[in-house]
Amino acid sequence: MLRGKQTWWFDKRPVIIGSGAVVGPDEGEGPLAEDFDLIHPELDLQQKSWEKAERLLMEQAADIAVKQSSIEKHDLQFFIGGDLLNQIISNSFTARELGVPYLGVFGACSTSMESLALASMIVNSGGAQYVMAGTCSHNCTAEKQFRYPTEYGSQKPPTAQYTVTGAGAAVLAAEGDGPVVTCATIGKIVDLGIADPFNMGAAMAPAAVDTIQTHFNDTGRVPGDYDLIVTGDLARVGHQIAKDLLERNEVPMDDTVFNDCGLMIYDLEKQGVQAGGSGCGCSAVVTYGHLLKRIKNGELNRVLVVATGALMSPLSFQQKETIPCIAHAVAIEKGG
């Protein structure tokens, strides 16, 4: 099952039998809108707080994923999830509603692929028949916790990113119809000394490059083996840095399509989203909405999703720590 140093190879090819992607109004105005299962017209989702709104996003994505799977909630044997809020409360409260065994994880914005990798490993090893992976974020909860509440109207530099309001969930099964997960490369911490929370793309780019190169070394695959390779949320600044580093390291990324979820989810020319999208929900809704649909309809056969995460906290920033970063890669391809 372990291939190379950091890659799990799933010989039983766990199947994504259902998924759900729920987003807010800004994401609903972006170029991927038709691929989301539910779009909310208002940021508050008619809830009393931003945190309650984020929780509802996660609960709805989980419900949609279960319905698409044609199973019942009680059929789920594990739920693996996490988010950006203190004590990952959005997913913990969602787990309370689901009423199934729960494993809470935190990988910042890399949580989407961290949870998917762990869910795939459990199913592949025979530890369960049905496992859900999920994550979420909300623009206003992230701004309040990590920067300044939206109501302050604080100015941001062009390198800043815009936290996606959205939640994504997927149900993994030992058998069934749907895209399959073939392998996952678990990243390690990379920290090149960047401490600016308004420049997370630059901080995370080296971690993405490290995981991509490790994936190729461990699996023997090359970029051309994939129809598409996407990073999680490096956005405009970080994605260009990643491209430059991979070119410098002679990784032939021109043999594939190389993109970023933070660039795909918004129209950067028309929407006021600074350098592009970020947040746990960014790679989650792009993957579980847009990418899975393209795989199912035959537009894509094999995709590598490399979700990135900046593992800082408000406390570590106040103590003037640099930003440790990580990236986890999961390969998804057409089933059958």
Side-chain angles (χ1 to χ4, degrees), residues 118-328:
L118 290 169
S120 300
M121 183 177 68
I122 291 173
V123 171
N124 192 76
S125 67
Q129 181 75 18
Y130 300 111
V131 181
M132 177 181 287
T135 188
C136 59
S137 58
H138 191 293
N139 183 272
C140 296
T141 63
E143 289 297 313
K144 183 167 74 171
Q145 178 162 293
F146 289 99
R147 287 173 282 274
Y148 299 99
T150 303
E151 292 83 354
Y152 284 16
S154 62
Q155 298 297 304
K156 300 179 179 66
T159 57
Q161 293 173 234
Y162 191 85
T163 302
V164 165
T165 298
V171 176
L172 277 292
E175 56 185 19
D177 295 324
V180 297
V181 180
T182 56
C183 57
T185 300
I186 307 303
K188 59 179 183 290
I189 298 294
V190 178
D191 185 348
L192 296 189
I194 293 176
D196 183 3
F198 289 110
N199 195 9
M200 291 191 299
M204 294 186 291
V209 170
D210 184 82
T211 296
I212 290 170
Q213 293 185 160
T214 299
H215 177 79
F216 293 144
N217 291 336
D218 284 355
T219 63
R221 291 180 174 179
V222 295
D225 290 328
Y226 292 96
D227 300 310
L228 174 68
I229 297 176
V230 290
T231 45
D233 52 353
L234 299 182
R236 180 180 283 154
V237 175
H239 186 62
Q240 186 60 52
I241 292 172
K243 288 175 65 176
D244 292 344
L245 289 173
L246 289 163
E247 181 178 359
R248 182 186 303 175
N249 295 343
E250 299 182 344
V251 180
M253 298 301 287
D254 289 340
D255 293 345
T256 187
V257 177
F258 185 37
N259 210 333
D260 182 79
C261 296
L263 297 175
M264 296 166 65
I265 194 168
Y266 297 123
D267 184 333
L268 270 64
E269 303 306 317
K270 296 180 180 179
Q271 295 179 278
V273 293
Q274 290 90 40
S278 68
C280 288
C282 184
S283 56
V285 299
V286 173
T287 300
Y288 298 145
H290 176 65
L291 296 183
L292 290 189
K293 284 182 172 62
R294 292 188 66 192
I295 292 172
K296 289 176 182 177
N297 66 24
E299 292 181 61
L300 298 170
N301 288 314
R302 182 183 287 170
V303 174
L304 184 69
V305 183
V306 189
T308 51
L311 305 179
M312 62 180 185
S313 75
L315 182 62
S316 68
F317 169 72
Q318 291 168 5
Q319 294 178 348
K320 305 197 182 302
E321 289 281 356
T322 54
I323 302 174
C325 297
I326 198 164
H328 302 299

Side-chain angles (χ1 to χ4, degrees), residues 46-99:
Q46 298 183 338
Q47 300 299 299
K48 294 182 178 180
S49 70
W50 302 127
E51 289 76 17
K52 289 182 182 294
E54 180 174 326
R55 183 198 313 175
L56 181 58
L57 288 170
M58 190 68 251
E59 291 174 352
Q60 291 176 330
D63 285 342
I64 292 169
V66 169
K67 289 177 182 177
Q68 283 193 12
S69 304
S70 298
I71 64 173
E72 301 296 330
K73 285 184 180 179
H74 60 76
D75 293 321
L76 287 173
Q77 291 157 301
F78 293 98
F79 169 48
I80 304 173
D83 50 77
L84 294 173
L85 298 187
N86 288 339
Q87 285 73 51
I88 54 174
I89 57 172
S90 296
N91 276 260
S92 296
F93 290 149
T94 297
R96 180 179 67 183
E97 294 301 312
L98 286 172

